[in-house]
Structures are given as structure tokens and as C-alpha cells.
Amino acid sequence: MSALPESTSIIVPSHPSTLSRYARAFALAICVGACAVMLCVPAHASLLPPAGPWPAPVPASTNPLIGSPYAVNGANATSDAVLRVWFLLGRRQSTISRPAGFTALLEGSLQGLPADRPINGAELTIVVQDEASPAWHAIAYTRTDTRGYFHIRLPAGSSRRVAVLYWPAVNAPAPVYSARVLELTTTRVWIAAHTKGRTVTFVGKITGGGPLPSPGLIVAIQVHNELGAWVTAVLTHATGAGRFHARYRFEPGVYAVRALVPEQTAWPYYAGTSNLRRIQPH
């Protein structure tokens, strides 16, 4: 996708109170429709390869016992086991959303059947599937405690599916699989606003996601209107260093504004919004 010219404007009513309720709704519909077309926001599924069947084939090299002096993996080791996994973000969750550059805490438990005996001291393999590698591959290892529980902080990365494998023995034909959980990574962006009369200058930066694709990323400066919707006042684009700026002339009043970075081609992150700023042009 090619970037739009800097400071390309979309018409937004500066004084919504001067319009009738129906006229305001019509103007908002036009604006939202224009934004959807111009920003070309794709579906979330476009950032990840197809999920495919599960369990999926994994390389034997993900077995941590290969090359080690141990024949079995942990106390009470058995292939008849239940491996549970979740993200911890305030509570247990199977899907989380994190800004780019942030880590995620993965937890779970490993218990043997039929008595739910904890398998302690077992080394587990963390595998992921992401845009860069549709094939499942190992990114980390962790070990269960005396209760059969484990936790590990995953390194920051792009959106990915995550699962945990338990190989009960060095000669096991296949591992025990956990369910898959989903980590969605959003674009991390901040914005500042400087007001001079009715003109507001916005500056900001996209951070935490690495170098931007050429020729940059589209950024929408949005205003929260009295209908409770976010509408785009002006479009700009961030350079390769992640910095952007834009100007917009408002009617006098108090406004809540933010920056939105939508999903875009060659950028492996979901849409992200900045902190809110309150401005008071006069």
C-alpha cells in the first residue's frame, strides 16, 4: 500500500451541534465510510497463517531429552497426561492483546492421569506459529514445579499462536500437546498536541515494532465527537524512523483526540491507538 500524501484531510463537521441529528449521523456515516476505504483495514486473520489442524506435526528436535542424560521427563512421567496452558493478564485468558515490544506471561499445568498427579521437574517446549514461520517452531523452554505448574515470560514478538509440548520420554513417538492460545500484538504509538489559536499541531511516534516498511505507515488523527464515535480529522504518515506530524484547524472548543495506526500491508501488527489528549483550540 502506498502512503497517502501528508495531511490529506477528510471533512469532519467542526460544530456537530449546528447540525440536525440526522445530518450529523449522515456526515458521520460519510466520514466513517471514507476512512474505511482510504485506510484499507484488513481482517485480523490476514496477519496469521491459517490455523490448520491441531495437533500439528512438530520436529523431533523439539524433544528436550535428545542429547540429555535423561530417559524420562520429570517425576511421574507418563504419556497419559493433561497439559493446560493460558495467558495471565489480570486473569487467565486464552487470547490476549499486547502492544508491540511488550512481553506476555504464559502459565499452565501438567498432570498425569487418571489421578491428576503433578508431573514435576518436566521440561516443556514452547512452540509458536506466526506470520514469519507458518510451521510450528520452538522459541523457549520451561520446567514444571513440584505442583506440576509452570510459568514463563515470552519474548516480545509479532502476533502468534502459542502452544506447549511435553515429551514424556526420549524415545516417545509424539509429544503431549496443550491447546493453542493466541497472542495478538498491536501497534504501539504515542502522540502530543500543541495548540496555537485554532490550529493544533500533532507530533508522535510509532515505537516497539522495529523498522517501518517503506514508504512508511498511514496514521489517522481522530476526534471523539458528541455521538460517541471516533472520526478522522486528518491523515498523515510515519517515516521510516516512526515519527509523524500533522496540523488541523478546529473550531473553538474542547476535544479529545488520539492517533490510530490501522493494519497495513507489510506491517505484522494489529491496529493500535495512542494515549488520549485533550485540546482546547480558541
Side-chain angles (χ1 to χ4, degrees), residues 124-220:
L124 306 177
T125 307
I126 314 300
V127 294
V128 301
Q129 180 194 45
D130 53 28
E131 182 187 40
S133 179
W136 288 87
H137 58 284
I139 63 164
Y141 296 87
T142 189
R143 192 175 295 275
T144 59
D145 61 19
T146 56
R147 299 182 303 138
Y149 283 82
F150 64 90
H151 65 274
I152 181 173
R153 189 162 290 280
L154 301 182
S158 60
S159 297
R160 54 198 174 187
R161 297 182 183 94
V162 182
V164 182
L165 308 180
Y166 167 61
W167 293 85
V170 67
N171 59 353
V176 174
Y177 291 77
S178 75
R180 295 172 291 190
V181 291
L182 183 60
E183 180 185 2
L184 303 177
T185 306
T186 61
T187 300
R188 186 179 174 190
V189 56
W190 66 265
I191 189 175
H194 307 282
T195 303
K196 185 175 182 180
R198 290 170 54 187
T199 300
V200 181
T201 301
F202 300 96
V203 295
K205 187 176 183 181
I206 298 171
T207 62
L212 271 61
S214 178
L217 293 176
I218 295 172
V219 181

Side-chain angles (χ1 to χ4, degrees), residues 87 89 91-97 180-184:
F87 286 111
L89 187 61
R91 58 184 177 84
R92 295 180 179 182
Q93 302 181 57
S94 60
T95 300
I96 63 168
S97 178
R180 295 172 291 190
V181 291
L182 183 60
E183 180 185 2
L184 303 177

Side-chain angles (χ1 to χ4, degrees), residues 228-247:
W230 287 98
V231 292
T232 297
V234 61
L235 292 177
T236 184
H237 69 273
T239 64
R243 299 185 183 278
F244 61 88
H245 70 275
R247 288 188 179 90

Side-chain angles (χ1 to χ4, degrees), residues 25-42:
F26 180 70
L28 176 62
I30 292 176
C31 181
V32 172
C35 293
V37 172
M38 298 180 74
L39 297 181
C40 300
V41 177

